[in-house]
Amino acid sequence: MSRFSKSILAVALGMSVFGSASAVDNFHGVGRQATPAEVKAWDIDVRPDFKGLPKGKGNVERGNELFEEKCASCHGSFGESNEVFTPLAGGTTKDDIKTGRVKGLSSGELPQRTTFTKVATISTVFDYIQRAMPWTAPKSLKPDEVYAILAYLLNLQEIVPADFELSDKNIADVQKLLPNRNGMTTDHGLWPGASAKKGGIGNGGVPDVKNVACMKNCKPEVQIGSTLPDYARTAHGELADQNRNFGPVRGTRTLGPEAARKAADASTLDLATKSGCMACHGVKNKIVGPGFNEVVARYQGQPDAESRLIAKVKAGGQGVWGSIPMPPNAHIKDDDLKTLVQWILAGSK
Amino acid sequence: MGDITQQPGRLRPAPENFLSEDQVKAVGAGRRDFLRKSFMAASAAMAAPLAARASEGDPNILNLPAWSTSLGQPVATTPYGMPSKFESQLVRRESPGLARVGGASVSFAPLQGLFGIITPSGLHFERHHQGWQDVDPTRHRLMINGSDDSLLKKPKVYTMDELMRMPSVSRIHFIECGANTGLEWGNVAVPTVQYTHGMLSCSEFTGVPLKTLLEDCGVDTKKARYVLAEGADGSSMTRTIPMEMVESGEVFVAYGQNGEMLRPENGYPLRLVVPGVQGVSWVKWLRRIEVGDQPYATKDEAVHYIDLLPNGLHRQYSSIQECKSVITTPSGGQTLVDKGFFNVSGLAWSGRGRIKQVDVSFDGGINWQSARLEGPIQNKALTRFNINWVWDGKPAILQSRAMDETGYVQPTYGQLRKVRGTKSIYHNNAIQSWKVVESGEVTNVQVL
């Protein structure tokens, strides 16, 4: 060992002696301390115990205005819309506010779960609106605006009165009125950390079902609980086109060729592109072959043009437009050729 | 099945290939002589099929195809290679009616046509809450801080340059959306495995263990038992992760996926990898990690990704994806080409570790046989299974049932519904059944 490498070793050893005391120095030159301003800019989360909640306030009336202006287009004026997302408001009763359990969730009376039928922590709603809404302009709301909008939503839910002002001072009181505040359980085995007994969450990973790997004569008969409804068979487009056309299986033809093509092709231009025509033809310009606009101009008013052109495209050929040939297009289905030529003669629209 | 035999795998001259794009350009530039020559070569090749008669044998053998008798494309024709044009059917697809807007929706991976365990990055399923972004990696930052100063000695900021200098790990893991198969809790709702199970993908991810980063910041793990992960996109997705998982070294911040950088749709340039846990925790476009002393009840763990039980309670912080499997070939919406031999193939996985055994039934679960597992079998990764089957042309119901290294056996619909009812949306890992009828058509059914 050279003296040089010995001295490196000594430095390395020294580092491990002094460095290990402070893990912070393990990766020299990698990363740097975050400034308080940087942490403030990004650390916007609000926890259930309200750690992270910004100071501020806003009332129902102001919230109503803001909601109408910034939220109603997607969520409806009363948070009731099902157009863009599931409804924010509705589905809870005065009684739920008392018990802290939304009765509709177990009785089956609830046609659809809204945000307020589920949420057990008011911090969640504040945090989310602040970080993500409005959907197209996230993080644009000031704290007072978030308070006001949340006050409005709470009023819609009849949790607070119309003259209510929500603030960092009273939000903990509102938490005590949330209709589904007692609606969560963590008694399950799906938390990948320490169990509740050890200060964490859940039962420590104990599953809630127990199947056994029986191999022979496992049951007397096969009970079919449900089969694919007819509407669902066709609701996902042409299944034949969602599988390879070679291999051990084919996609089942669910729509038939005509409907399938309509479903698959947004327009005849797509068909022309898929059929390879657009590699040689432009709609309005010549590439290798004539522009389709030139074709229309040439054959205008000729009643037999359609059938002649279908035959020509199918067989290929040269001489009409010059000496470059068009290759045969025999691989294209007759139906499709007809559609294509009709489309060309109609001005490629 | 007549339909099938009328669609033989006929080889077709493809017009798109007749001229390469360069040749088209050459023509545009007036170099027609070059073109005429290539046409002559190609026309000669196309005339050949007429020569041989079918009675002498397969014309695909007797008549040499154009690709055997002509010059192929030069290197770097497509600098970033693309699949064959014959593969266009296998793409990510949305399920109509599932979501109302594309920015808060799902596209499913085409499991019905994939092999092995790695999902091609371009077919990886997508789930976005506020659209996807193509984040500039030179401007991306990862911040690590504490919910208060006592939990972390030194809040730090890392650039991509810095993260990519650190010791890295590469591991293969599956990622499954908690809502995968969620459409099917109550009854059969969708026709193919793409829509029943396609919120599932598996990649080799490369990155830096979060443990390394937290230690670098001087975390106090006595107090900090939870981690909050946050995205840089509009939704700034947040999820709580237990410190136990981070301490195990399993959780890492990844920049690599299948040998290249992550795809934008999958969180480029940085995402969290939380093996065995539902996809929503694998925060994309990861910008911040906060260590804390209690869970955060974020929107996607307090309003969504909570499992409704029959008694009206919701299970909160349900995260692990339990052991599950599905046969991908043959599967719903497919038709077998003929009677006879088939290699029945599928995928098995468990959020609790390795797959130990997969059994397959052809009679709706009365009798089972163990399938071959293709190794190496990896922790919290997809495992490919295969089993031989000779189809006699009679109706059959195909099922697969996986067991993981903890001994947990994938449950039936009956068993799951008894405990969880039919409205819990998330974590449906029931045994999937595919019914085969005489025509060879395979459809989705549920066996209780």
Side-chain angles (χ1 to χ4, degrees), chain B residues 82 123 189 243 255 318 335 353-354 390 446:
Chain B
M82 296 299 286
L123 297 178
M243 188 61 87
Y255 43 81
S318 53
T335 300
R354 289 179 172 76
V390 176
Q446 286 182 359

Coordinates of all heavy atoms in Angstrom, one line a residue, chain B residues 82 123 189 243 255 318 335 353-354 390 446:
Chain B
M82 N -40.5 1.5 -32.7 CA -41.9 1.4 -32.4 C -42.3 -0.1 -32.7 O -41.6 -0.8 -33.4 CB -42.7 2.3 -33.3 CG -42.4 3.8 -33.0 SD -42.9 4.3 -31.4 CE -44.7 4.3 -31.5
L123 N -47.2 0.8 -22.6 CA -48.5 0.1 -22.4 C -48.9 0.1 -20.9 O -49.9 -0.4 -20.5 CB -48.5 -1.3 -22.9 CG -48.4 -1.4 -24.4 CD1 -48.3 -2.9 -24.8 CD2 -49.5 -0.7 -25.2
A189 N -69.3 -6.8 -15.3 CA -69.6 -5.5 -15.8 C -68.9 -5.2 -17.1 O -69.3 -4.4 -17.9 CB -69.4 -4.4 -14.8
M243 N -43.5 4.3 8.3 CA -42.1 4.4 8.3 C -41.5 3.0 8.3 O -40.4 2.8 7.8 CB -41.6 5.2 9.6 CG -40.2 5.4 9.7 SD -39.5 6.4 8.3 CE -39.8 8.1 8.9
Y255 N -36.3 6.9 -10.7 CA -36.3 7.7 -12.0 C -36.2 6.8 -13.2 O -36.7 7.2 -14.3 CB -35.1 8.7 -12.0 CG -33.8 8.1 -11.5 CD1 -33.0 7.3 -12.3 CD2 -33.3 8.3 -10.2 CE1 -31.8 6.8 -11.9 CE2 -32.1 7.7 -9.7 CZ -31.4 7.0 -10.6 OH -30.2 6.4 -10.1
S318 N -56.4 1.3 4.0 CA -56.2 0.0 3.4 C -55.3 0.2 2.3 O -55.6 0.9 1.3 CB -57.6 -0.5 3.0 OG -58.2 0.5 2.2
T335 N -61.8 -15.7 -28.7 CA -62.3 -16.9 -29.3 C -61.2 -17.8 -29.6 O -60.2 -17.4 -30.3 CB -63.2 -16.6 -30.5 OG1 -64.3 -15.7 -30.1 CG2 -63.8 -17.9 -31.0
G353 N -45.5 -10.5 -0.7 CA -44.3 -11.2 -1.0 C -44.3 -12.0 -2.3 O -44.8 -11.5 -3.3
R354 N -43.7 -13.2 -2.2 CA -43.6 -14.0 -3.4 C -44.8 -14.9 -3.6 O -45.4 -15.3 -2.7 CB -42.3 -14.8 -3.3 CG -41.0 -14.0 -3.4 CD -39.8 -14.9 -3.3 NE -38.6 -14.1 -3.7 CZ -38.1 -13.2 -2.8 NH1 -38.6 -13.0 -1.6 NH2 -37.1 -12.4 -3.2
V390 N -55.8 -29.4 -23.3 CA -56.3 -29.8 -24.6 C -57.8 -29.6 -24.5 O -58.5 -30.2 -23.7 CB -56.0 -31.3 -24.8 CG1 -56.6 -31.8 -26.1 CG2 -54.5 -31.5 -24.9
Q446 N -69.1 -14.9 -13.3 CA -68.6 -15.0 -11.9 C -69.1 -16.2 -11.3 O -70.3 -16.5 -11.3 CB -69.1 -13.7 -11.1 CG -68.3 -12.5 -11.5 CD -68.7 -11.3 -10.7 OE1 -69.6 -11.3 -9.9 NE2 -68.0 -10.2 -10.9

